[in-house]
Amino acid sequence: RTAASFCVNVLAADQEGLCRRFAAKTGDKFDGVAWHPAPSGAPVLDDAVAWIDCDFAECPEAGDHYIVLGAVRDLGLLNPAPPLLFFQGGYGAFSPGALVAPYESDLLAHIRIADIARKHMERLSAELRLECYAQSIVADELVIVAGSGTRQGTVHGHIGRRMPFAPPYGALFVADRDDDAVDA
């Protein structure tokens, strides 16, 4: 309450113990915790995912507590790891499983085949000035296994994305297969 500024430290998914330590009402919270000062002098935890150094902007009353709003003065990324989340009384992490394909042994074969087509994909992208993706069926999903393109930064963000192997899009991949595959 008496500080002129504060620094928000975004903890990593594997730092639940540290979070509980700082939430405790007793003990030396910084004992053995590596940190360095933010531009304001507030602590930046060395192993945090990111930090946001702030000046107090507002502190409106909200029932039996206050909501602190900060004016960001500086920020940084230290550790590109999934953040720790606190939700409905428990700790957890984002699960990218719905968007990114996990390692699957049959996925490696699909990636190797797509790599053979890479030169052709790059040529096609350059000639037509478009993005080109190679997709594969893995279990009951379509997975983007390779890509080439003209817009910087867009292709790599799509590799590993998965979509349900379902109509209407999935139907294109079974048009030449037997009735059992179409039915499945």
Side-chain angles (χ1 to χ4, degrees):
R1 290 182 189 165
T2 60
S5 62
F6 63 95
C7 186
V8 175
N9 285 270
V10 178
L11 298 180
D14 62 353
Q15 292 181 302
E16 180 181 336
L18 184 61
C19 183
R20 289 183 183 279
R21 177 182 187 167
F22 275 95
K25 294 183 180 185
T26 60
D28 182 357
K29 299 174 191 318
F30 285 93
D31 184 35
V33 176
W35 65 275
H36 61 277
S40 69
V44 173
L45 304 179
D46 288 351
D47 293 330
V49 172
W51 56 273
I52 308 164
D53 196 23
C54 301
D55 292 320
F56 285 94
E58 283 185 66
C59 197
E61 197 169 336
D64 63 348
H65 61 281
Y66 294 89
I67 297 174
V68 177
L69 301 176
V72 177
R73 59 162 51 191
D74 203 356
L75 52 88
L77 177 69
L78 298 173
N79 175 17
L84 177 65
L85 302 178
F86 185 78
F87 180 67
Q88 295 182 340
Y91 292 91
F94 285 116
S95 175
L99 296 176
V100 179
Y103 174 78
E104 296 172 18
S105 58
D106 58 340
L107 186 58
L108 188 57
H110 296 289
I111 292 170
R112 286 184 177 142
I113 291 169
D115 198 46
I116 294 169
R118 183 170 308 283
K119 289 179 186 175
H120 301 290
M121 292 170 61
E122 289 172 354
R123 182 180 45 77
L124 188 63
S125 291
E127 286 176 13
L128 300 176
R129 296 175 41 196
L130 52 75
E131 293 179 340
C132 183
Y133 295 97
Q135 295 178 326
S136 215
I137 299 170
V138 178
D140 62 347
E141 296 176 309
L142 298 172
V143 180
I144 298 177
V145 294
S148 64
T150 57
R151 293 187 309 199
Q152 189 170 0
T154 58
V155 170
H156 297 296
H158 296 301
I159 305 301
R161 290 232 175 192
R162 49 172 73 206
M163 295 159 279
F165 181 41
Y169 194 55
L172 298 173
F173 289 85
V174 293
D176 63 337
R177 297 175 99 190
D178 63 30
D179 289 341
D180 290 337
V182 173
D183 289 343

